[in-house]
Amino acid sequence: MALPVQQQAKYWGIVTAVMLVVLWFLGDVILPFVLGGAIAYCFDPIADRLEAAGFSRTAAVTIITLVAVILFILLILLVIPTLISQTTQLIDTAPQLFNRLQSALTERFPSLVDSESTVRKQLLAIGEAIQSKGGELINGVLSSAIGLLNVVVLLVIVPVVAFYLLLDWDKMTARIDDLLPRDHVDTVRMLAREIDRTLASFIRGQGTVCLILGTYYAVALMIAGLKFGLIVGFIAGLVTFIPYVGALVGGVLAVGLALFQFWGGSEVIDGETVTQTTNWLRIGIVAGIFFLGQFLEGNILTPKLVGGSVGLHPVWLLFALSVFGSLFGFVGMLVAVPVAAVIGVLTRYGIEHYKGGRLYRGLSTDE
């Protein structure tokens, strides 16, 4: 005899509450396991394809691990030092950017930036604040990140956890499937497939889009001669998962930096006044890079890698990231996407049943 619905709801509610409590109290402790699980989930399709090509599961996981280690070492040696250097330079250059903006405003709107103007005071204050606090902010972020994800976790525990989870991924999913309540096994499997489809589309698909566009923006901007091309590409790629925001934020930042770098004017260098002409071609190239990136994202990358719909609205995703990040810290932000996917799938499932029921249709019990 099956358990009553109320009894089942009580048990599953207890399980959910226990998981939230564990997440609350053991956030930092379970962080490497959450990261390892996320990495294993992302690479499981690659391992399955290698198995289909004739490799054993162990050989497939070993190949993936070796490639990932090589890429990680190259990232540490080639990209991260340049990224940190450009970020520091950008912070140091911020006052000059605001001084250039102030000069432009003075030429066009002299009444807005007189000695007592609020606009002028705010521009000066913003530039000085970024320069004075920028270094402290970077050091604080790095120190807190090191405290949260210490070097041992990043370099040892997470790869080991990811390796073993990826090695036993199929066995674990089969074991979980064996533990499903038999009365609801078909429904749970259907919901799990839908959740997996949503997560695969977003995490694997959208993550790949972000990586491709971030790399494209960074390389293209550096080739175009923009001084801070790498950091701009990194920022643009990081927020590309929100439609149009990545191109908008990165484009505005890149064009603004291009105007600062390639705009003509007079400067005093070694006691001599040097007049430079505006390089409109370089500025146009920078803007064109983002127009091309937006075209590639909307017409090629997203349709091919993500699909028409992933079931995660950007506003809902941002809300989940904000809520879980504030409640559970960095670990909460990591689990926010799968939790948002689960809630979205369950909500759509509930709405579907509601619209097929009498509460929605208004039918009498006799019909």
Side-chain angles (χ1 to χ4, degrees):
M1 179 177 176
L3 287 174
V5 175
Q6 294 84 352
Q7 196 81 359
Q8 296 183 42
K10 182 178 71 173
Y11 288 148
W12 289 116
I14 293 173
V15 171
T16 303
V18 170
M19 293 178 62
L20 291 175
V21 170
V22 170
L23 192 63
W24 178 276
F25 286 102
L26 300 180
D28 293 346
V29 176
I30 66 175
L31 178 58
F33 302 95
V34 174
L35 285 172
I39 293 172
Y41 176 78
C42 290
F43 286 117
D44 178 63
I46 301 177
D48 291 339
R49 291 187 179 183
L50 289 175
E51 280 189 284
F55 293 91
S56 66
R57 185 71 178 189
T58 302
V61 174
T62 301
I63 293 172
I64 293 172
T65 303
L66 290 176
V67 173
V69 169
I70 293 173
L71 293 177
F72 180 74
I73 292 174
L74 292 176
L75 184 69
I76 291 293
L77 294 178
L78 301 178
V79 178
I80 292 181
T82 305
L83 186 64
I84 295 175
S85 174
Q86 287 195 7
T87 303
T88 304
Q89 293 177 21
L90 180 59
I91 291 173
D92 293 337
T93 308
Q96 300 179 36
L97 293 172
F98 285 101
N99 288 336
R100 183 71 65 86
L101 177 59
Q102 178 184 336
S103 299
L105 290 175
T106 302
E107 293 176 2
R108 292 165 176 77
F109 310 102
S111 61
L112 294 179
V113 288
D114 56 31
S115 59
E116 300 299 326
S117 171
T118 303
V119 174
R120 179 178 181 179
K121 293 179 180 179
Q122 289 300 320
L123 289 174
L124 291 175
I126 292 174
E128 293 172 356
I130 291 177
Q131 186 179 30
S132 62
K133 300 297 183 181
E136 298 178 8
L137 178 62
I138 293 177
N139 293 332
V141 169
L142 292 177
S143 62
S144 62
I146 292 174
L148 182 63
L149 314 167
N150 56 64
V151 176
V152 175
V153 170
L154 286 175
L155 299 181
V156 179
I157 300 180
V158 171
V160 170
V161 170
F163 178 86
Y164 282 107
L165 288 179
L166 184 58
L167 188 64
D168 296 328
W169 191 264
D170 293 337
K171 295 179 181 178
M172 290 188 303
T173 54
R175 180 60 177 165
I176 293 173
D177 181 79
D178 184 59
L179 294 174
L180 294 176
R182 296 298 99 180
D183 288 340
H184 309 289
V185 64
D186 293 332
T187 301
V188 174
R189 285 173 179 170
M190 181 270 294
L191 293 174
R193 285 192 295 268
E194 181 66 19
I195 292 170
D196 178 66
R197 186 193 68 82
T198 301
L199 284 178
S201 297
F202 185 83
I203 295 179
R204 296 171 185 152
Q206 194 64 57
T208 304
V209 171
C210 292
L211 181 61
I212 292 174
L213 282 178
T215 303
Y216 158 73
Y217 287 136
V219 173
L221 290 173
M222 287 190 294
I223 293 176
L226 191 67
K227 291 182 180 178
F228 306 106
L230 182 61
I231 184 64
V232 174
F234 175 79
I235 294 173
L238 192 64
V239 296
T240 294
F241 71 94
I242 308 174
Y244 306 108
V245 172
L248 179 62
V249 172
V252 170
L253 181 59
V255 171
L257 291 172
L259 288 172
F260 170 76
Q261 182 177 342
F262 303 122
W263 189 268
S266 299
E267 295 184 9
V268 178
I269 302 177
D270 297 330
E272 297 182 2
T273 301
V274 178
T275 302
Q276 299 177 343
T277 58
T278 301
N279 194 331
W280 289 108
L281 178 61
R282 291 288 188 90
I283 297 173
I285 290 174
V286 170
I289 287 172
F290 278 89
F291 280 113
L292 178 59
Q294 186 63 34
F295 174 81
L296 294 174
E297 177 189 359
N299 295 277
I300 299 176
L301 295 177
T302 299
K304 294 290 185 181
L305 298 176
V306 181
S309 175
V310 299
L312 284 177
H313 194 279
V315 175
W316 167 236
L317 180 63
L318 289 175
F319 177 77
L321 289 170
S322 301
V323 171
F324 277 81
S326 62
L327 290 177
F328 306 109
F330 185 69
V331 178
M333 296 184 69
L334 290 178
V335 302
V337 173
V339 170
V342 170
I343 294 176
V345 170
L346 294 179
T347 300
R348 289 193 295 273
Y349 177 77
I351 291 174
E352 180 182 348
H353 278 260
Y354 160 71
K355 296 183 75 172
R358 293 176 177 175
L359 180 61
Y360 173 78
R361 298 166 60 189
L363 300 179
S364 66
T365 56
D366 294 333
E367 296 178 297

